[in-house]
Amino acid sequence: MKGAAAVAMVVVAGCLLAAAAVTAVDGAVTCGDVDASLLPCVAYLTGKAAAPSGECCAGVRHLRTLPVGTAERRFACDCVKKAAARFKGLNGDAIRDLPAKCAAPLPFPLSLDFDCNT
């Protein structure tokens, strides 16, 4: 699912809309948390900004602190994929490189075709 991999970026904006209705896994992570963390990255992920903003990188750094277990990482990954599916024009390379550009590796890779169950 290409849109699902855009997860990181699409999740940001897409999940923001749906996050209010989504419950957290074990009460810890919500799609709203994930969306709020990544929404500032949409301009970079769609090519409207040459580099991720400071606010975007702060969100990525915050996102990496949210999922504490396998189930929560999968949940957060799924949130990103759902959000990504709602955005058009996401750049796969920008998505993949975002954690490195922000010096904030995530507990799951970001890509347009990543399987959150692996």
Side-chain angles (χ1 to χ4, degrees), residues 57-64 98-108 110:
C57 288
V60 173
R61 283 190 296 277
H62 176 70
L63 180 62
R64 72 182 231 180
L98 180 64
K101 289 211 177 245
C102 290
L106 294 176
F108 51 84
L110 296 179

Side-chain angles (χ1 to χ4, degrees), residues 2-102:
K2 279 188 173 183
V7 171
M9 300 315 159
V10 172
V11 164
V12 171
C15 285
L16 285 177
L17 301 174
V22 179
T23 59
V25 170
D26 295 329
V29 178
T30 68
C31 282
D33 294 331
V34 174
D35 290 344
S37 295
L38 295 176
L39 188 59
C41 301
V42 172
Y44 170 69
L45 296 175
T46 58
K48 294 178 181 165
S53 67
E55 186 178 12
C56 167
C57 288
V60 173
R61 283 190 296 277
H62 176 70
L63 180 62
R64 72 182 231 180
T65 68
L66 295 177
V68 295
T70 301
E72 288 181 342
R73 283 191 298 272
R74 285 185 180 148
F75 182 81
C77 179
D78 283 335
C79 289
V80 173
K81 290 175 92 171
K82 288 175 186 175
R86 293 184 176 114
F87 288 88
K88 294 188 184 341
L90 294 175
N91 180 305
D93 291 338
I95 292 167
R96 181 197 64 226
D97 297 341
L98 180 64
K101 289 211 177 245
C102 290

